[in-house]
């Protein structure tokens, strides 16, 4: 895209604030090696194209825009003489990818002084060597700092997640160890009780009845109904009274176990009718051990299942055994992230899931989307804790036109309007020194917007802050981009 060449006047370009301190010889060189072009309304250059020229507006109106998802978002509109754009980092050479960082168009006939990128780079290094060194140090120093801090942030996040996962794994593992020890004790008592029964005056038919009752009791344990505390207490009183009336010693100790297993007085009456009265206390003791062993095995199964679920969640969260780019179920990613971060939430934070399970899977980088969920959930939890530690985190999914919406809503104090426009900037943070790097939202922005061609936006009032992630439901026609890293230049 180029305009119509028009004469270049050293005096006219010397009046622009960018060149006002240059000598007549330098202005002459600019006009000799550069050119003035007149552009009719329309595009001047497009974001992502090779940056071949440096543009300085002499007169007219210019509009700069950035690509966000499928839309061009206007960021600047001005008629100020001397504004510039284009290949502004040409002096950095091949060390930086030389492409236009935005799109430029004009809304009326506009004249530009146009300098080829190679010429601009040579003039900068020749005329302003100290300034170029300072600019290079600022650019690469900031880039290296961002990479180092980003790496540190990822290590801190990994350490925090590891601590949380260890805590979550410890609870079911310890429960399984305790249940196993108790089970070993109960089995030993069962062996002792079996020896007592074998030595007693029991007939073959009585033993057969007892074993049949034992089998039916074990089956009933797995079907035990859930009782309210009041119902359980009433049933325990009734069972305890029945056991004492039938000569079972310490029935008040056995009653809670029987009730937990779903046994009631009617069941005990069936047992009493099936065995002789003289062996009823021994039969009840035998059934008590049976019930306890079944309950302990259920506890062990539940604990090991929880451990397995946590391991699966860790694999889902890290995506260690999966391709970087794939079609993924957003709800699986959200659930795994919430589970991994469960240890970081205080007891006063309630999580509400409002999922639209009819939504299709989306193409993308699941591991990096998990990083986005982590950052947004972490911020929401911090906001609620700042408000006293009591509140609700709501995670919602829905269809929004041709995009999938993932919304994180918290009841924290909100984002003040004066900083709302800066929260996605690199290194911007409201947290105390040492507690925040200011890269979480910047990385999230680049993953969602630059990597997945989606949108990331925030709406906030006190008590209702919503971070919304919009992801395309279909993969872009262009080639799949390379993975984002914290060391890349901010968009």
């Amino acid at each position: 895209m180029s305009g119509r060449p028009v004469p270049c006047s050293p005096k006219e370009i010397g009046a622009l604030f960018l060149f006002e301190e240059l000598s007549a010889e330098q202005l002459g060189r600019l006009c000799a090696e550069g050119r003035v072009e007149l552009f009719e309304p329309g595009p001047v250059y497009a974001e992502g194209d090779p940056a071949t020229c440096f543009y300085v507006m002499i007169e007219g109106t210019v509009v700069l825009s950035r690509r966000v998802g499928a839309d061009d978002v206007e960021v600047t509109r001005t008629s100020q003489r001397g504004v510039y754009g284009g290949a502004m980092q040409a002096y950095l050479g091949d060390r930086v990818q030389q492409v236009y960082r935005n799109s430029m168009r004009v809304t009326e006939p506009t004249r530009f002084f146009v300098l080829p990128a190679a010429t601009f780079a040579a003039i900068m290094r020749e005329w302003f060597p100290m300034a170029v060194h300072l600019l290079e140090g600022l650019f690469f120093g900031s880039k290296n700092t961002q990479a180092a801090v980003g790496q540190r942030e990822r290590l801190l996040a990994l350490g925090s997640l590891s601590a949380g996962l260890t805590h979550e794994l410890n609870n079911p593992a310890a429960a399984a160890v305790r249940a196993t020890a108790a089970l070993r004790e109960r089995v030993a008592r069962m062996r002792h009780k079996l020896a007592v029964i074998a030595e007693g005056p029991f007939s073959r038919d009585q033993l057969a009845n007892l074993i049949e009752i034992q089998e039916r009791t074990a089956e009933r344990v797995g079907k035990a109904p859930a009782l309210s505390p009041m119902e359980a207490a009433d049933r325990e009183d009734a069972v305890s009274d029945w056991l004492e009336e039938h000569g079972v010693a310490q029935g008040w100790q056995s009653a809670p176990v029987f009730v937990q297993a779903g046994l009631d007085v009617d069941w005990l009456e069936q047992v009493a009718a099936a065995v002789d009265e003289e062996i009823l206390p021994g039969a009840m003791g035998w059934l008590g051990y049976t019930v306890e062993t079944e309950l302990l095995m259920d506890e062990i199964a539940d604990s090991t299942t929880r451990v397995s679920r946590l391991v699966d969640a860790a694999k889902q969260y890290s995506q260690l055994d999966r391709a970087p780019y794939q079609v993924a179920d957003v709800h699986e990613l959200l659930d795994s992230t919430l589970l991994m971060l469960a240890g970081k939430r205080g007891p006063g934070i309630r999580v509400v899931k409002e999922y639209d399970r009819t939504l299709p899977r989306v193409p993308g980088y699941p591991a990096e989307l998990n990083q986005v969920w982590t950052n947004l959930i972490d911020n929401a939890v911090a906001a609620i804790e700042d408000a006293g530690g009591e509140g609700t985190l709501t995670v919602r999914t829905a269809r929004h036109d041709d995009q999938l919406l993932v919304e994180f809503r918290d009841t924290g104090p909100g984002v003040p309007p004066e900083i709302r426009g800066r929260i996605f900037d690199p290194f911007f943070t409201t947290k105390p020194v040492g507690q925040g790097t200011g890269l979480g939202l910047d990385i999230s922005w680049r993953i969602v917007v630059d990597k997945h061609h989606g949108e990331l936006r925030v709406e906030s009032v006190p008590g209702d802050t919503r971070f919304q992630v919009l992801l395309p439901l279909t993969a872009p026609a262009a080639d799949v981009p390379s993975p984002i890293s914290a060391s890349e230049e901010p968009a």
Side-chain angles (χ1 to χ4, degrees), residues 3 195 203:
S203 67

Short mmCIF file of all heavy atoms in Angstrom, two decimals, residues 3 195 203:
data_model
loop_
_atom_site.label_atom_id
_atom_site.label_comp_id
_atom_site.label_asym_id
_atom_site.label_seq_id
_atom_site.Cartn_x
_atom_site.Cartn_y
_atom_site.Cartn_z
N GLY A 3 1.14 5.63 -1.28
CA GLY A 3 0.41 6.80 -1.73
C GLY A 3 1.03 7.39 -2.99
O GLY A 3 1.94 6.83 -3.59
N ALA A 195 -13.72 -68.38 65.93
CA ALA A 195 -13.25 -69.51 66.75
C ALA A 195 -14.22 -69.77 67.89
O ALA A 195 -14.52 -70.93 68.22
CB ALA A 195 -11.85 -69.21 67.29
N SER A 203 -25.49 -75.74 65.56
CA SER A 203 -25.70 -76.78 64.55
C SER A 203 -25.28 -76.26 63.18
O SER A 203 -25.08 -75.07 62.98
CB SER A 203 -27.18 -77.18 64.53
OG SER A 203 -27.96 -76.08 64.06
#
